[in-house]
């Protein structure tokens, strides 16, 4: 009797929009080492912080919703700190340790000094300064508008350049997580709500509102642990694609209403540190930012010298720069999907090359941008000479 050969398991590769596709676009080789490596989990600072601040906003919303914590500002030591420790605990359980000097992981009374300046814990380090600013700036305006938080999105697309026997699958899955604001909540909110004011000042949103066929609509929201990128940067484009792809995924969920716009919060704009300030100054000098500072803010930013103390920036500019409203248009949505299809095609191509034995460094594309390479755990053995030359290693 001839024994039949067991067929290969049918697997549809699944890609998360931020964890895989945007991460790959930052640098393919870094993505490979981070996500598919046998190395212990390592995570560049920006990625750790992105996950952390996302978790902090989600957890803060849950506490606002379920507890009697409706008044802002929240106190860091007695309210926000507990949220941070909870998020840190969850991240550690996924193997993600906080980067040194960014976050104090200790409770008061802990005698271990760790990498903190002394053993007087807890220390409000950079991640905590930003978490506090994010919650206290946007919490009062955003939380009352959220109708559904941490909504999981999932869709299936045809595998680009599918070839039987060569491709891993004829489909791929695409996933994401968003918060959803509903028209009902927006109508109930106070007219002092800053997000509503920004939306009403946005011509694209106004136009869409006036031309609605049904009264219900939605806005989707995501958070970025970074400063607002310049308009000529790849990140600016990629974030736009991300939101538009989310809107496509959301539209397919039966309980959804029409998504009019997406909002991204660039939370680092609320507390800019030296490197961000240098980038902001450059964006202003090069006329590459869409939210420009005026008058006093402009003067302070342009006259600032990186060796002196940080320039004063008005709260109104910080808030305005930390919110980006992206109109959802059919054509742009299609374009974003095609763009991500080609990113998936690239990743799949690299996987196939590696499986065929081409070696990791030859199979994966690199994208050596100074700021990414500076924070990259793999720079010491990265193939890119330019990247290596910048980081002399101890002999
Ligand atoms: S050092 Fe730069 S080019 Fe090399 S893997 Fe890291 S991010 Fe990519
Ligand atoms: Zn500490």
């Amino acid at each position: 009797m001839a024994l039949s050969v067991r067929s290969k398991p049918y697997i549809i590769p699944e890609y998360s929009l931020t964890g895989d596709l945007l991460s790959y676009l930052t640098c393919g080789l870094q993505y490979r080492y981070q996500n598919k490596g046998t190395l212990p989990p390592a995570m560049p600072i920006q990625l750790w912080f992105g996950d952390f601040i996302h978790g902090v906003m989600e957890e803060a919303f849950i506490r606002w919703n379920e507890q009697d914590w409706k008044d802002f500002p929240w106190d860091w030591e007695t309210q926000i700190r507990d949220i941070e420790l909870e998020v840190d605990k969850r991240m550690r359980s996924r193997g993600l340790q906080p980067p040194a000097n960014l976050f104090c992981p200790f409770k008061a009374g802990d005698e271990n000094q760790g990498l903190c300046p002394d053993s007087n814990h807890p220390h409000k380090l950079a991640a905590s300064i930003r978490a506090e600013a994010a919650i206290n700036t946007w919490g009062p305006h955003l939380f009352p508008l959220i109708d559904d938080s941490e909504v999981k999105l999932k869709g299936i697309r045809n595998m680009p350049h599918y070839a039987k026997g060569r491709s891993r699958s004829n489909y791929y899955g695409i996933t994401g997580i968003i918060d959803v604001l509903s028209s009902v909540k927006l109508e109930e909110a106070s007219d002092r709500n800053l997000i509503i004011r920004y939306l009403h000042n946005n011509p694209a949103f106004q136009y869409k509102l006036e031309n609605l066929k049904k009264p219900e609509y939605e806005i989707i929201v995501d958070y970025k642990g970074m400063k607002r990128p310049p308009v000529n940067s790849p990140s600016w484009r990629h974030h736009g694609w991300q939101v538009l792809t989310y809107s496509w995924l959301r539209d397919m969920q039966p309980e959804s209403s029409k998504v009019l716009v997406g909002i991204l919060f660039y939370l680092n704009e609320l507390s800019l540190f030296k490197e961000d300030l240098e980038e902001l100054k450059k964006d202003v000098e090069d006329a590459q930012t869409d939210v420009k500072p005026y008058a006093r803010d402009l003067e302070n930013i342009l006259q600032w010298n990186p060796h002196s103390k940080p320039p004063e920036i008005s709260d109104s500019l910080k808030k305005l720069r930390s919110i980006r409203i992206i109109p959802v248009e059919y054509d742009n949505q299609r374009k974003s999907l095609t763009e991500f299809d080609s990113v998936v095609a690239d990743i799949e191509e690299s996987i196939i090359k590696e499986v065929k034995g081409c070696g990791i460094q030859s199979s994966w594309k690199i994208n050596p941008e100074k700021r990414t390479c500076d924070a990259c755990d793999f720079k010491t053995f990265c193939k890119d000479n330019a990247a290596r030359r910048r980081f002399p290693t101890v002999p």
Side-chain angles (χ1 to χ4, degrees), residues 300-341:
N300 289 349
I301 292 168
L302 289 180
Q303 285 172 4
W304 174 66
N305 157 354
H307 302 293
S308 58
K309 70 176 192 6
E312 292 265 334
I313 299 178
S314 67
D315 276 352
S316 58
L317 180 67
K318 287 184 190 168
K319 287 177 189 160
L320 206 55
R321 285 187 53 82
S322 73
I323 181 168
R324 174 177 174 194
I325 298 170
I326 300 166
V328 175
E329 310 290 354
Y330 179 82
D331 288 351
N332 291 348
Q333 203 181 46
R334 298 291 121 179
K335 188 170 170 278
S336 307
L337 290 165
T338 322
E339 297 288 359
F340 280 131
D341 282 345

Side-chain angles (χ1 to χ4, degrees), residues 138 198 228 269-270 272 280 284 289-298 300-301 312-323:
W138 287 118
Y198 288 159
R228 190 183 197 87
E269 286 289 340
L270 303 171
L272 294 169
L280 169 61
V284 174
T289 183
D290 61 325
V291 179
K292 300 175 195 77
Y294 282 103
R296 204 48 185 277
D297 284 325
L298 180 64
N300 289 349
I301 292 168
E312 292 265 334
I313 299 178
S314 67
D315 276 352
S316 58
L317 180 67
K318 287 184 190 168
K319 287 177 189 160
L320 206 55
R321 285 187 53 82
S322 73
I323 181 168

Side-chain angles (χ1 to χ4, degrees), residues 81 103-107 112-125:
R81 182 64 185 159
F103 179 71
C104 163
F106 303 108
K107 291 193 174 153
N112 185 350
Q113 186 179 332
L115 291 157
C116 286
D118 50 51
S119 50
N120 228 349
H121 311 296
H123 294 92
K124 200 197 273 185
L125 303 184

Side-chain angles (χ1 to χ4, degrees), residues 15 45 47 67 119 166 179 196 219 235 248 259 267 272 280 283 303 305 340 342 354 365 392:
Y15 288 101
I45 292 171
L47 283 184
Q67 300 182 18
S119 50
R166 185 170 183 274
D179 285 348
I196 295 191
I219 292 174
S235 303
W248 174 77
V259 177
L267 295 169
L272 294 169
L280 169 61
D283 298 347
Q303 285 172 4
N305 157 354
F340 280 131
S342 66
E354 192 185 323
K365 287 186 190 161

